[in-house]
Amino acid sequence: MKHFLTAVLVCISLAASAYTNNYKDMEPLKLDVPEMKAELAPVATENFDLHSMALEAPEAKMDFAFFKSRTNPGTKAYKFMDDMTFVGVPLFIAGIIAKSEKNAFKQQTKHSLVTKFKTGIDDYTQFFGPAAVVGLKLAGVEGRSDWPRLLASAGMGYGIMALFVNTIKHTAKEMRPDGTSANSWPSGHTATAFVGATLLHKEYGLTRSPWYSVAGYGVATATGVMRVLNNRHWISDVLSGAGLGILSGELGYAICDLLFKGKGLLRNDIPGMASVITHPSFFSISMGIGFGTRDFDFNMKDYGWSDDLHLKFQASTAVAAEGAYFFNPYIGVGGRLRVKSTPIKGWDKIVDFGWEDVDYFYNSLEADEQKALDQNLDNVDFIIESDHLTEFSGDLGVYFNLPLSDRFALGSKLLVGRSTMQELALDAQISGQHSYKASDPTDNPTGDAFDYSWDYFKVKGNNSTKFGTGISLTYAYKQNFSWKVFLDYDYTRKTYTMDYDFGGLYETLFPEDYAALTPQENKEFKEATSASQSIKKAMHSFVLGASFAINF
């Protein structure tokens, strides 16, 4: 951390030194009114083509002048906080809200979100933004700033992010979902990715083409999703990390705008505003809170439980990437990718039932069998593989836009897609030594150590077709960029299946006795110690949220 902050200060010092040494060589801004007259049209046109038109850029010349300051004529200074959108604030707050909804689990219970998805790509995609900026800069594609000002802005943004993230991590001490360390919230990978995306957005998205912003924020969002799928972060970690990343990047540029004013600027923002009337096509990254039908009832008294199982789910957290291409100001086609995670209320009750089964099994044994277990059984535990019901969905459909003014528009959509759900799962884990048989506790055939786990309880939903609609209000706050507030509704009918297996305990402890069962005895044993129930449920889901959109 010390080395990083030192590097940031060095970059800022070098930048400041470069500006000071080159100040006398800078060309003054020509703002005289006579120069705006019609007879100077050729000069104005040249400047417009050089600094405004993304498709008519001058011939690129490789740029390695890392410490040489220069300012293009005609560029104006940015005001302090002029480019602040504060989009990071609601994202960070959403992470806090989602974090507060987590359930507290028993101390003896390890809880983790386990999926088969494993990748190391997110370790690299977090650096996509700065890599793209440096690559474009070295290739001679002019962005917002020269090298010294770019290094200062980037260093300031990353420094603020590192200070925020590390301070919160070591204060909150949130356990990661895989249980490896207590520094989960907020996500450092996601924060790093969104600082880089903001860097690319500021340097090239605002000054050349919004598609640079689409690429930067799209890859950053994918990085956050991969952190969740890799079982390294909760949804709340990613939301807060994204918010801190955007906020830090914008603060870094705001502070440098205050310090350096007009020095080192090469391009201003693209002139004019892509109105929601004439350019409703968009790409957006959204966050929302979901609510709706979220309860299931399973009859468990017939299987020895003290009560039936009632699953009640809390408000969910939804993150989505969405885009649409409009043929005219009113109608277009597009799609949405969304991850929605819903925490279960009272998950510890299922763990309690598990311990009831263990006690029932132990008390059903003879005294010598109990003694043998006490001597040879090392550990019995329940591992929560998934404490959230997580839905992954993809939708395609028709989008509608109704302009209200140059800055406001109402939107709607009709979508159809597929819904895939990650199961809720509780594994039983047991370890010890096979030093006896249930039929003869004094027998010691092997003494082999064992460490087994099996699916004790899980709930899963089938893949299903879903239908959706929604309404949104768009506010275009700047050229090519807008805010959206929305309320989405989705409907799907799913079959939810509950599988329960208490018999795995006997099968694990007494493998030889279990293997000796006849087919009929095995069937009767399964019927007595396991259960499977399915229910069909019509699911009505609402998501209320906000998104940051790029119009093109």
PDB file of all heavy atoms in Angstrom, residues 121-136 158 189 192-200 211-221 223:
ATOM      1  N   ILE A 121      -9.972 -15.795 -15.604  1.00  0.00           N
ATOM      2  CA  ILE A 121     -10.007 -14.661 -16.530  1.00  0.00           C
ATOM      3  C   ILE A 121     -10.206 -13.351 -15.779  1.00  0.00           C
ATOM      4  O   ILE A 121      -9.674 -12.308 -16.175  1.00  0.00           O
ATOM      5  CB  ILE A 121     -11.129 -14.865 -17.571  1.00  0.00           C
ATOM      6  CG1 ILE A 121     -10.852 -16.115 -18.399  1.00  0.00           C
ATOM      7  CG2 ILE A 121     -11.270 -13.648 -18.477  1.00  0.00           C
ATOM      8  CD1 ILE A 121     -11.945 -16.450 -19.390  1.00  0.00           C
ATOM      9  N   ASP A 122     -10.971 -13.401 -14.677  1.00  0.00           N
ATOM     10  CA  ASP A 122     -11.254 -12.171 -13.947  1.00  0.00           C
ATOM     11  C   ASP A 122     -10.004 -11.543 -13.346  1.00  0.00           C
ATOM     12  O   ASP A 122      -9.991 -10.353 -13.043  1.00  0.00           O
ATOM     13  CB  ASP A 122     -12.296 -12.421 -12.853  1.00  0.00           C
ATOM     14  CG  ASP A 122     -11.961 -13.626 -12.000  1.00  0.00           C
ATOM     15  OD1 ASP A 122     -11.182 -14.483 -12.452  1.00  0.00           O
ATOM     16  OD2 ASP A 122     -12.479 -13.716 -10.872  1.00  0.00           O
ATOM     17  N   ASP A 123      -8.940 -12.331 -13.172  1.00  0.00           N
ATOM     18  CA  ASP A 123      -7.680 -11.774 -12.683  1.00  0.00           C
ATOM     19  C   ASP A 123      -7.031 -10.853 -13.721  1.00  0.00           C
ATOM     20  O   ASP A 123      -6.170 -10.032 -13.366  1.00  0.00           O
ATOM     21  CB  ASP A 123      -6.697 -12.894 -12.327  1.00  0.00           C
ATOM     22  CG  ASP A 123      -7.135 -13.676 -11.095  1.00  0.00           C
ATOM     23  OD1 ASP A 123      -7.785 -13.078 -10.212  1.00  0.00           O
ATOM     24  OD2 ASP A 123      -6.821 -14.880 -11.012  1.00  0.00           O
ATOM     25  N   TYR A 124      -7.430 -10.996 -14.965  1.00  0.00           N
ATOM     26  CA  TYR A 124      -6.858 -10.201 -16.052  1.00  0.00           C
ATOM     27  C   TYR A 124      -7.828  -9.139 -16.570  1.00  0.00           C
ATOM     28  O   TYR A 124      -7.396  -8.028 -16.918  1.00  0.00           O
ATOM     29  CB  TYR A 124      -6.424 -11.123 -17.207  1.00  0.00           C
ATOM     30  CG  TYR A 124      -5.451 -12.193 -16.785  1.00  0.00           C
ATOM     31  CD1 TYR A 124      -5.882 -13.483 -16.504  1.00  0.00           C
ATOM     32  CD2 TYR A 124      -4.093 -11.914 -16.640  1.00  0.00           C
ATOM     33  CE1 TYR A 124      -4.997 -14.480 -16.097  1.00  0.00           C
ATOM     34  CE2 TYR A 124      -3.196 -12.885 -16.234  1.00  0.00           C
ATOM     35  CZ  TYR A 124      -3.650 -14.174 -15.959  1.00  0.00           C
ATOM     36  OH  TYR A 124      -2.771 -15.142 -15.550  1.00  0.00           O
ATOM     37  N   THR A 125      -9.115  -9.464 -16.630  1.00  0.00           N
ATOM     38  CA  THR A 125     -10.076  -8.497 -17.159  1.00  0.00           C
ATOM     39  C   THR A 125     -10.202  -7.266 -16.268  1.00  0.00           C
ATOM     40  O   THR A 125     -10.668  -6.220 -16.736  1.00  0.00           O
ATOM     41  CB  THR A 125     -11.459  -9.142 -17.312  1.00  0.00           C
ATOM     42  OG1 THR A 125     -11.871  -9.724 -16.073  1.00  0.00           O
ATOM     43  CG2 THR A 125     -11.439 -10.215 -18.385  1.00  0.00           C
ATOM     44  N   GLN A 126      -9.787  -7.369 -15.002  1.00  0.00           N
ATOM     45  CA  GLN A 126      -9.841  -6.194 -14.137  1.00  0.00           C
ATOM     46  C   GLN A 126      -8.924  -5.073 -14.635  1.00  0.00           C
ATOM     47  O   GLN A 126      -9.109  -3.917 -14.282  1.00  0.00           O
ATOM     48  CB  GLN A 126      -9.466  -6.574 -12.706  1.00  0.00           C
ATOM     49  CG  GLN A 126      -8.057  -7.108 -12.540  1.00  0.00           C
ATOM     50  CD  GLN A 126      -7.690  -7.351 -11.090  1.00  0.00           C
ATOM     51  OE1 GLN A 126      -8.028  -6.564 -10.207  1.00  0.00           O
ATOM     52  NE2 GLN A 126      -6.979  -8.448 -10.832  1.00  0.00           N
ATOM     53  N   PHE A 127      -7.952  -5.412 -15.470  1.00  0.00           N
ATOM     54  CA  PHE A 127      -7.006  -4.419 -15.995  1.00  0.00           C
ATOM     55  C   PHE A 127      -7.297  -4.046 -17.449  1.00  0.00           C
ATOM     56  O   PHE A 127      -6.464  -3.415 -18.109  1.00  0.00           O
ATOM     57  CB  PHE A 127      -5.568  -4.949 -15.887  1.00  0.00           C
ATOM     58  CG  PHE A 127      -5.158  -5.317 -14.490  1.00  0.00           C
ATOM     59  CD1 PHE A 127      -4.872  -6.634 -14.157  1.00  0.00           C
ATOM     60  CD2 PHE A 127      -5.076  -4.350 -13.500  1.00  0.00           C
ATOM     61  CE1 PHE A 127      -4.505  -6.983 -12.873  1.00  0.00           C
ATOM     62  CE2 PHE A 127      -4.714  -4.684 -12.203  1.00  0.00           C
ATOM     63  CZ  PHE A 127      -4.424  -6.008 -11.883  1.00  0.00           C
ATOM     64  N   PHE A 128      -8.478  -4.413 -17.951  1.00  0.00           N
ATOM     65  CA  PHE A 128      -8.795  -4.121 -19.345  1.00  0.00           C
ATOM     66  C   PHE A 128      -8.798  -2.625 -19.618  1.00  0.00           C
ATOM     67  O   PHE A 128      -8.264  -2.169 -20.637  1.00  0.00           O
ATOM     68  CB  PHE A 128     -10.163  -4.712 -19.703  1.00  0.00           C
ATOM     69  CG  PHE A 128     -10.662  -4.294 -21.056  1.00  0.00           C
ATOM     70  CD1 PHE A 128     -10.185  -4.893 -22.206  1.00  0.00           C
ATOM     71  CD2 PHE A 128     -11.614  -3.283 -21.177  1.00  0.00           C
ATOM     72  CE1 PHE A 128     -10.640  -4.505 -23.464  1.00  0.00           C
ATOM     73  CE2 PHE A 128     -12.076  -2.887 -22.426  1.00  0.00           C
ATOM     74  CZ  PHE A 128     -11.586  -3.504 -23.571  1.00  0.00           C
ATOM     75  N   GLY A 129      -9.414  -1.827 -18.729  1.00  0.00           N
ATOM     76  CA  GLY A 129      -9.521  -0.381 -18.935  1.00  0.00           C
ATOM     77  C   GLY A 129      -8.183   0.299 -19.121  1.00  0.00           C
ATOM     78  O   GLY A 129      -7.936   0.940 -20.168  1.00  0.00           O
ATOM     79  N   PRO A 130      -7.269   0.200 -18.144  1.00  0.00           N
ATOM     80  CA  PRO A 130      -5.969   0.867 -18.318  1.00  0.00           C
ATOM     81  C   PRO A 130      -5.164   0.299 -19.475  1.00  0.00           C
ATOM     82  O   PRO A 130      -4.438   1.038 -20.140  1.00  0.00           O
ATOM     83  CB  PRO A 130      -5.269   0.630 -16.977  1.00  0.00           C
ATOM     84  CG  PRO A 130      -5.974  -0.522 -16.349  1.00  0.00           C
ATOM     85  CD  PRO A 130      -7.398  -0.409 -16.810  1.00  0.00           C
ATOM     86  N   ALA A 131      -5.279  -1.018 -19.720  1.00  0.00           N
ATOM     87  CA  ALA A 131      -4.545  -1.603 -20.844  1.00  0.00           C
ATOM     88  C   ALA A 131      -5.023  -1.004 -22.168  1.00  0.00           C
ATOM     89  O   ALA A 131      -4.213  -0.694 -23.049  1.00  0.00           O
ATOM     90  CB  ALA A 131      -4.721  -3.122 -20.856  1.00  0.00           C
ATOM     91  N   ALA A 132      -6.341  -0.826 -22.300  1.00  0.00           N
ATOM     92  CA  ALA A 132      -6.888  -0.241 -23.523  1.00  0.00           C
ATOM     93  C   ALA A 132      -6.446   1.205 -23.679  1.00  0.00           C
ATOM     94  O   ALA A 132      -6.078   1.645 -24.784  1.00  0.00           O
ATOM     95  CB  ALA A 132      -8.415  -0.338 -23.508  1.00  0.00           C
ATOM     96  N   VAL A 133      -6.477   1.971 -22.590  1.00  0.00           N
ATOM     97  CA  VAL A 133      -6.079   3.386 -22.644  1.00  0.00           C
ATOM     98  C   VAL A 133      -4.612   3.513 -23.030  1.00  0.00           C
ATOM     99  O   VAL A 133      -4.241   4.306 -23.908  1.00  0.00           O
ATOM    100  CB  VAL A 133      -6.345   4.070 -21.295  1.00  0.00           C
ATOM    101  CG1 VAL A 133      -5.714   5.465 -21.266  1.00  0.00           C
ATOM    102  CG2 VAL A 133      -7.846   4.171 -21.032  1.00  0.00           C
ATOM    103  N   VAL A 134      -3.749   2.738 -22.382  1.00  0.00           N
ATOM    104  CA  VAL A 134      -2.315   2.807 -22.678  1.00  0.00           C
ATOM    105  C   VAL A 134      -2.048   2.377 -24.117  1.00  0.00           C
ATOM    106  O   VAL A 134      -1.241   2.999 -24.831  1.00  0.00           O
ATOM    107  CB  VAL A 134      -1.524   1.933 -21.688  1.00  0.00           C
ATOM    108  CG1 VAL A 134      -0.058   1.813 -22.122  1.00  0.00           C
ATOM    109  CG2 VAL A 134      -1.594   2.529 -20.288  1.00  0.00           C
ATOM    110  N   GLY A 135      -2.727   1.308 -24.567  1.00  0.00           N
ATOM    111  CA  GLY A 135      -2.537   0.845 -25.937  1.00  0.00           C
ATOM    112  C   GLY A 135      -2.931   1.897 -26.958  1.00  0.00           C
ATOM    113  O   GLY A 135      -2.205   2.140 -27.933  1.00  0.00           O
ATOM    114  N   LEU A 136      -4.087   2.525 -26.748  1.00  0.00           N
ATOM    115  CA  LEU A 136      -4.531   3.573 -27.663  1.00  0.00           C
ATOM    116  C   LEU A 136      -3.594   4.764 -27.627  1.00  0.00           C
ATOM    117  O   LEU A 136      -3.276   5.365 -28.673  1.00  0.00           O
ATOM    118  CB  LEU A 136      -5.956   4.014 -27.292  1.00  0.00           C
ATOM    119  CG  LEU A 136      -7.071   3.000 -27.578  1.00  0.00           C
ATOM    120  CD1 LEU A 136      -8.362   3.423 -26.883  1.00  0.00           C
ATOM    121  CD2 LEU A 136      -7.299   2.875 -29.082  1.00  0.00           C
ATOM    122  N   TYR A 158      -6.858   5.422  -8.851  1.00  0.00           N
ATOM    123  CA  TYR A 158      -6.506   4.131  -8.253  1.00  0.00           C
ATOM    124  C   TYR A 158      -6.095   4.280  -6.791  1.00  0.00           C
ATOM    125  O   TYR A 158      -6.358   3.403  -5.963  1.00  0.00           O
ATOM    126  CB  TYR A 158      -5.391   3.466  -9.052  1.00  0.00           C
ATOM    127  CG  TYR A 158      -5.873   2.776 -10.308  1.00  0.00           C
ATOM    128  CD1 TYR A 158      -5.623   3.319 -11.561  1.00  0.00           C
ATOM    129  CD2 TYR A 158      -6.585   1.589 -10.230  1.00  0.00           C
ATOM    130  CE1 TYR A 158      -6.066   2.698 -12.712  1.00  0.00           C
ATOM    131  CE2 TYR A 158      -7.039   0.948 -11.382  1.00  0.00           C
ATOM    132  CZ  TYR A 158      -6.773   1.508 -12.623  1.00  0.00           C
ATOM    133  OH  TYR A 158      -7.228   0.888 -13.756  1.00  0.00           O
ATOM    134  N   HIS A 189     -11.248  -6.691  -6.973  1.00  0.00           N
ATOM    135  CA  HIS A 189     -11.177  -6.922  -8.415  1.00  0.00           C
ATOM    136  C   HIS A 189     -12.203  -6.058  -9.150  1.00  0.00           C
ATOM    137  O   HIS A 189     -11.892  -5.431 -10.166  1.00  0.00           O
ATOM    138  CB  HIS A 189     -11.458  -8.397  -8.722  1.00  0.00           C
ATOM    139  CG  HIS A 189     -10.271  -9.292  -8.598  1.00  0.00           C
ATOM    140  ND1 HIS A 189      -9.659  -9.530  -7.390  1.00  0.00           N
ATOM    141  CD2 HIS A 189      -9.586 -10.024  -9.529  1.00  0.00           C
ATOM    142  CE1 HIS A 189      -8.657 -10.369  -7.569  1.00  0.00           C
ATOM    143  NE2 HIS A 189      -8.577 -10.681  -8.857  1.00  0.00           N
ATOM    144  N   THR A 192     -11.271  -2.340  -9.010  1.00  0.00           N
ATOM    145  CA  THR A 192     -10.176  -2.076  -9.951  1.00  0.00           C
ATOM    146  C   THR A 192     -10.692  -2.032 -11.385  1.00  0.00           C
ATOM    147  O   THR A 192     -10.301  -1.163 -12.176  1.00  0.00           O
ATOM    148  CB  THR A 192      -9.103  -3.171  -9.814  1.00  0.00           C
ATOM    149  OG1 THR A 192      -8.603  -3.188  -8.481  1.00  0.00           O
ATOM    150  CG2 THR A 192      -7.955  -2.928 -10.775  1.00  0.00           C
ATOM    151  N   ALA A 193     -11.572  -2.968 -11.729  1.00  0.00           N
ATOM    152  CA  ALA A 193     -12.116  -3.018 -13.092  1.00  0.00           C
ATOM    153  C   ALA A 193     -12.908  -1.762 -13.414  1.00  0.00           C
ATOM    154  O   ALA A 193     -12.816  -1.231 -14.534  1.00  0.00           O
ATOM    155  CB  ALA A 193     -12.991  -4.264 -13.251  1.00  0.00           C
ATOM    156  N   PHE A 194     -13.695  -1.252 -12.449  1.00  0.00           N
ATOM    157  CA  PHE A 194     -14.535  -0.091 -12.734  1.00  0.00           C
ATOM    158  C   PHE A 194     -13.752   1.221 -12.696  1.00  0.00           C
ATOM    159  O   PHE A 194     -14.148   2.190 -13.349  1.00  0.00           O
ATOM    160  CB  PHE A 194     -15.723  -0.054 -11.780  1.00  0.00           C
ATOM    161  CG  PHE A 194     -16.892  -0.867 -12.262  1.00  0.00           C
ATOM    162  CD1 PHE A 194     -16.996  -2.207 -11.942  1.00  0.00           C
ATOM    163  CD2 PHE A 194     -17.859  -0.308 -13.068  1.00  0.00           C
ATOM    164  CE1 PHE A 194     -18.054  -2.976 -12.405  1.00  0.00           C
ATOM    165  CE2 PHE A 194     -18.925  -1.060 -13.539  1.00  0.00           C
ATOM    166  CZ  PHE A 194     -19.021  -2.399 -13.208  1.00  0.00           C
ATOM    167  N   VAL A 195     -12.657   1.282 -11.962  1.00  0.00           N
ATOM    168  CA  VAL A 195     -11.772   2.447 -12.088  1.00  0.00           C
ATOM    169  C   VAL A 195     -11.212   2.489 -13.505  1.00  0.00           C
ATOM    170  O   VAL A 195     -11.196   3.541 -14.160  1.00  0.00           O
ATOM    171  CB  VAL A 195     -10.621   2.395 -11.062  1.00  0.00           C
ATOM    172  CG1 VAL A 195      -9.609   3.498 -11.356  1.00  0.00           C
ATOM    173  CG2 VAL A 195     -11.146   2.575  -9.649  1.00  0.00           C
ATOM    174  N   GLY A 196     -10.748   1.334 -13.997  1.00  0.00           N
ATOM    175  CA  GLY A 196     -10.218   1.272 -15.354  1.00  0.00           C
ATOM    176  C   GLY A 196     -11.265   1.587 -16.403  1.00  0.00           C
ATOM    177  O   GLY A 196     -10.976   2.255 -17.403  1.00  0.00           O
ATOM    178  N   ALA A 197     -12.507   1.115 -16.188  1.00  0.00           N
ATOM    179  CA  ALA A 197     -13.579   1.408 -17.133  1.00  0.00           C
ATOM    180  C   ALA A 197     -13.877   2.907 -17.154  1.00  0.00           C
ATOM    181  O   ALA A 197     -14.131   3.486 -18.224  1.00  0.00           O
ATOM    182  CB  ALA A 197     -14.836   0.627 -16.748  1.00  0.00           C
ATOM    183  N   THR A 198     -13.853   3.543 -15.990  1.00  0.00           N
ATOM    184  CA  THR A 198     -14.080   4.989 -15.917  1.00  0.00           C
ATOM    185  C   THR A 198     -12.944   5.745 -16.598  1.00  0.00           C
ATOM    186  O   THR A 198     -13.158   6.778 -17.248  1.00  0.00           O
ATOM    187  CB  THR A 198     -14.221   5.428 -14.450  1.00  0.00           C
ATOM    188  OG1 THR A 198     -15.287   4.692 -13.839  1.00  0.00           O
ATOM    189  CG2 THR A 198     -14.511   6.914 -14.343  1.00  0.00           C
ATOM    190  N   LEU A 199     -11.725   5.239 -16.462  1.00  0.00           N
ATOM    191  CA  LEU A 199     -10.566   5.830 -17.138  1.00  0.00           C
ATOM    192  C   LEU A 199     -10.770   5.804 -18.652  1.00  0.00           C
ATOM    193  O   LEU A 199     -10.575   6.813 -19.341  1.00  0.00           O
ATOM    194  CB  LEU A 199      -9.311   5.050 -16.745  1.00  0.00           C
ATOM    195  CG  LEU A 199      -7.969   5.568 -17.255  1.00  0.00           C
ATOM    196  CD1 LEU A 199      -7.611   6.892 -16.590  1.00  0.00           C
ATOM    197  CD2 LEU A 199      -6.866   4.528 -16.981  1.00  0.00           C
ATOM    198  N   LEU A 200     -11.180   4.654 -19.190  1.00  0.00           N
ATOM    199  CA  LEU A 200     -11.429   4.538 -20.622  1.00  0.00           C
ATOM    200  C   LEU A 200     -12.614   5.414 -21.039  1.00  0.00           C
ATOM    201  O   LEU A 200     -12.598   6.032 -22.116  1.00  0.00           O
ATOM    202  CB  LEU A 200     -11.708   3.069 -20.968  1.00  0.00           C
ATOM    203  CG  LEU A 200     -11.919   2.720 -22.436  1.00  0.00           C
ATOM    204  CD1 LEU A 200     -10.699   3.090 -23.275  1.00  0.00           C
ATOM    205  CD2 LEU A 200     -12.230   1.230 -22.589  1.00  0.00           C
ATOM    206  N   TRP A 211     -18.728   3.950 -27.720  1.00  0.00           N
ATOM    207  CA  TRP A 211     -18.476   2.514 -27.765  1.00  0.00           C
ATOM    208  C   TRP A 211     -17.269   2.127 -26.919  1.00  0.00           C
ATOM    209  O   TRP A 211     -17.158   0.981 -26.466  1.00  0.00           O
ATOM    210  CB  TRP A 211     -18.292   2.047 -29.200  1.00  0.00           C
ATOM    211  CG  TRP A 211     -19.588   2.016 -29.944  1.00  0.00           C
ATOM    212  CD1 TRP A 211     -19.998   2.882 -30.919  1.00  0.00           C
ATOM    213  CD2 TRP A 211     -20.649   1.092 -29.757  1.00  0.00           C
ATOM    214  NE1 TRP A 211     -21.254   2.550 -31.360  1.00  0.00           N
ATOM    215  CE2 TRP A 211     -21.685   1.459 -30.660  1.00  0.00           C
ATOM    216  CE3 TRP A 211     -20.855  -0.001 -28.916  1.00  0.00           C
ATOM    217  CZ2 TRP A 211     -22.881   0.766 -30.736  1.00  0.00           C
ATOM    218  CZ3 TRP A 211     -22.049  -0.695 -28.992  1.00  0.00           C
ATOM    219  CH2 TRP A 211     -23.037  -0.321 -29.895  1.00  0.00           C
ATOM    220  N   TYR A 212     -16.349   3.071 -26.712  1.00  0.00           N
ATOM    221  CA  TYR A 212     -15.253   2.802 -25.773  1.00  0.00           C
ATOM    222  C   TYR A 212     -15.805   2.598 -24.368  1.00  0.00           C
ATOM    223  O   TYR A 212     -15.345   1.739 -23.604  1.00  0.00           O
ATOM    224  CB  TYR A 212     -14.239   3.958 -25.782  1.00  0.00           C
ATOM    225  CG  TYR A 212     -13.411   4.051 -27.041  1.00  0.00           C
ATOM    226  CD1 TYR A 212     -13.594   5.093 -27.945  1.00  0.00           C
ATOM    227  CD2 TYR A 212     -12.432   3.110 -27.326  1.00  0.00           C
ATOM    228  CE1 TYR A 212     -12.836   5.189 -29.097  1.00  0.00           C
ATOM    229  CE2 TYR A 212     -11.657   3.193 -28.482  1.00  0.00           C
ATOM    230  CZ  TYR A 212     -11.864   4.236 -29.363  1.00  0.00           C
ATOM    231  OH  TYR A 212     -11.104   4.319 -30.503  1.00  0.00           O
ATOM    232  N   SER A 213     -16.795   3.394 -24.005  1.00  0.00           N
ATOM    233  CA  SER A 213     -17.429   3.250 -22.689  1.00  0.00           C
ATOM    234  C   SER A 213     -18.180   1.935 -22.584  1.00  0.00           C
ATOM    235  O   SER A 213     -18.157   1.271 -21.542  1.00  0.00           O
ATOM    236  CB  SER A 213     -18.390   4.422 -22.435  1.00  0.00           C
ATOM    237  OG  SER A 213     -17.718   5.662 -22.490  1.00  0.00           O
ATOM    238  N   VAL A 214     -18.862   1.548 -23.673  1.00  0.00           N
ATOM    239  CA  VAL A 214     -19.564   0.267 -23.698  1.00  0.00           C
ATOM    240  C   VAL A 214     -18.589  -0.876 -23.427  1.00  0.00           C
ATOM    241  O   VAL A 214     -18.848  -1.767 -22.605  1.00  0.00           O
ATOM    242  CB  VAL A 214     -20.265   0.057 -25.055  1.00  0.00           C
ATOM    243  CG1 VAL A 214     -20.797  -1.363 -25.168  1.00  0.00           C
ATOM    244  CG2 VAL A 214     -21.396   1.057 -25.229  1.00  0.00           C
ATOM    245  N   ALA A 215     -17.444  -0.852 -24.106  1.00  0.00           N
ATOM    246  CA  ALA A 215     -16.453  -1.913 -23.931  1.00  0.00           C
ATOM    247  C   ALA A 215     -15.920  -1.931 -22.504  1.00  0.00           C
ATOM    248  O   ALA A 215     -15.818  -2.994 -21.871  1.00  0.00           O
ATOM    249  CB  ALA A 215     -15.313  -1.729 -24.928  1.00  0.00           C
ATOM    250  N   GLY A 216     -15.565  -0.750 -21.985  1.00  0.00           N
ATOM    251  CA  GLY A 216     -14.985  -0.681 -20.653  1.00  0.00           C
ATOM    252  C   GLY A 216     -15.924  -1.147 -19.567  1.00  0.00           C
ATOM    253  O   GLY A 216     -15.580  -2.021 -18.750  1.00  0.00           O
ATOM    254  N   TYR A 217     -17.132  -0.605 -19.540  1.00  0.00           N
ATOM    255  CA  TYR A 217     -18.080  -0.973 -18.485  1.00  0.00           C
ATOM    256  C   TYR A 217     -18.642  -2.379 -18.695  1.00  0.00           C
ATOM    257  O   TYR A 217     -19.005  -3.053 -17.714  1.00  0.00           O
ATOM    258  CB  TYR A 217     -19.207   0.061 -18.413  1.00  0.00           C
ATOM    259  CG  TYR A 217     -18.779   1.353 -17.755  1.00  0.00           C
ATOM    260  CD1 TYR A 217     -18.781   2.556 -18.462  1.00  0.00           C
ATOM    261  CD2 TYR A 217     -18.349   1.374 -16.435  1.00  0.00           C
ATOM    262  CE1 TYR A 217     -18.372   3.738 -17.871  1.00  0.00           C
ATOM    263  CE2 TYR A 217     -17.948   2.548 -15.833  1.00  0.00           C
ATOM    264  CZ  TYR A 217     -17.958   3.736 -16.552  1.00  0.00           C
ATOM    265  OH  TYR A 217     -17.555   4.899 -15.960  1.00  0.00           O
ATOM    266  N   GLY A 218     -18.703  -2.828 -19.940  1.00  0.00           N
ATOM    267  CA  GLY A 218     -19.155  -4.198 -20.188  1.00  0.00           C
ATOM    268  C   GLY A 218     -18.185  -5.219 -19.633  1.00  0.00           C
ATOM    269  O   GLY A 218     -18.584  -6.179 -18.971  1.00  0.00           O
ATOM    270  N   VAL A 219     -16.888  -5.034 -19.887  1.00  0.00           N
ATOM    271  CA  VAL A 219     -15.878  -5.955 -19.360  1.00  0.00           C
ATOM    272  C   VAL A 219     -15.804  -5.864 -17.838  1.00  0.00           C
ATOM    273  O   VAL A 219     -15.628  -6.871 -17.149  1.00  0.00           O
ATOM    274  CB  VAL A 219     -14.505  -5.654 -19.994  1.00  0.00           C
ATOM    275  CG1 VAL A 219     -13.406  -6.495 -19.339  1.00  0.00           C
ATOM    276  CG2 VAL A 219     -14.535  -5.937 -21.489  1.00  0.00           C
ATOM    277  N   ALA A 220     -15.956  -4.659 -17.295  1.00  0.00           N
ATOM    278  CA  ALA A 220     -15.941  -4.501 -15.839  1.00  0.00           C
ATOM    279  C   ALA A 220     -17.101  -5.241 -15.192  1.00  0.00           C
ATOM    280  O   ALA A 220     -16.946  -5.894 -14.143  1.00  0.00           O
ATOM    281  CB  ALA A 220     -15.986  -3.015 -15.470  1.00  0.00           C
ATOM    282  N   THR A 221     -18.290  -5.151 -15.807  1.00  0.00           N
ATOM    283  CA  THR A 221     -19.446  -5.877 -15.284  1.00  0.00           C
ATOM    284  C   THR A 221     -19.214  -7.378 -15.345  1.00  0.00           C
ATOM    285  O   THR A 221     -19.535  -8.113 -14.399  1.00  0.00           O
ATOM    286  CB  THR A 221     -20.705  -5.516 -16.089  1.00  0.00           C
ATOM    287  OG1 THR A 221     -20.928  -4.105 -16.010  1.00  0.00           O
ATOM    288  CG2 THR A 221     -21.923  -6.245 -15.543  1.00  0.00           C
ATOM    289  N   THR A 223     -16.408  -8.861 -15.176  1.00  0.00           N
ATOM    290  CA  THR A 223     -15.444  -9.182 -14.118  1.00  0.00           C
ATOM    291  C   THR A 223     -16.159  -9.388 -12.791  1.00  0.00           C
ATOM    292  O   THR A 223     -15.882 -10.353 -12.059  1.00  0.00           O
ATOM    293  CB  THR A 223     -14.412  -8.056 -13.978  1.00  0.00           C
ATOM    294  OG1 THR A 223     -13.729  -7.878 -15.221  1.00  0.00           O
ATOM    295  CG2 THR A 223     -13.397  -8.374 -12.888  1.00  0.00           C
TER     296      THR A 223
END
